[in-house]
Amino acid sequence: METAIAERKAQELSGGNAFAAFNHLELEHVEPDYAVFRLNIQPESKNPYGFVHGGMLAGMADNAAGYAAHSDGRCYVTLSSHLNYIHNQVNGVIRAEGRVLHRGKTTCVTRVDIRGEDGTLLATGELVYFCIEPEEMEKRVTGK
């Protein structure tokens, strides 16, 4: 049952996730409290030095951790994020794994690790999400 909720919410989110589509981020796996996003590094994924841009890594982190948070079926927005950049990669595939560490009534604390193809840790961090009621989210999105 919980896996079905996670998958349904991921489908709902993916339908409107233009950021992920534009940046070649693919949802690879989702289950309760866990999600993985994949990036096949593209020329537009890179900074001027040829490495994956830090903003791309941050975007991957927010998607993976955010989908893990949303896996309970509720609506969340990012409240805070902290990412430590450790290594980088120039080509190939990288993955961001998001895990829920704590769920409260109004916040969800997550952890994310981004790894290269060989398992090298590229970045790690913590993101906190604020739970917002679906009706309130709809009002904010539509302005109605």
Side-chain angles (χ1 to χ4, degrees):
M1 178 70 166
E2 289 181 359
T3 299
I5 292 169
E7 290 172 350
R8 186 172 53 249
K9 188 65 176 184
Q11 285 180 332
E12 176 187 318
L13 293 170
S14 293
N17 195 343
F19 176 85
F22 182 80
N23 288 290
H24 311 285
L25 301 177
E26 301 172 38
L27 175 63
E28 194 169 77
H29 180 80
V30 67
E31 62 187 59
D33 297 341
Y34 179 77
V36 179
F37 267 80
R38 165 193 166 118
L39 171 67
N40 184 5
I41 299 170
Q42 304 295 313
E44 57 268 31
S45 306
K46 299 178 181 184
N47 65 23
Y49 303 109
F51 293 103
V52 177
H53 194 286
M56 179 63 73
L57 295 173
M60 286 186 76
D62 196 22
N63 274 274
Y67 275 57
H70 281 88
S71 69
D72 68 349
R74 298 191 295 168
C75 295
Y76 292 89
V77 293
T78 309
L79 186 60
S80 68
S81 66
H82 178 85
L83 200 60
N84 294 299
Y85 300 94
I86 299 168
H87 290 286
N88 212 316
Q89 186 170 309
V90 295
N91 294 306
V93 174
I94 59 177
R95 287 180 175 79
E97 295 184 41
R99 289 179 176 78
V100 172
L101 298 177
H102 170 76
R103 257 184 217 288
K105 287 185 178 182
T106 58
T107 60
C108 182
V109 180
T110 64
R111 178 108 199 137
V112 67
D113 290 324
I114 302 175
R115 296 187 182 276
E117 286 179 294
D118 65 357
T120 299
L121 185 63
L122 305 178
T124 186
E126 187 176 278
L127 293 90
V128 179
Y129 294 89
F130 181 73
C131 184
I132 186 167
E133 294 299 322
E135 300 80 23
E136 183 63 27
M137 181 65 81
E138 184 67 24
K139 283 184 203 172
R140 290 173 186 245
V141 171
T142 63
K144 298 177 185 179

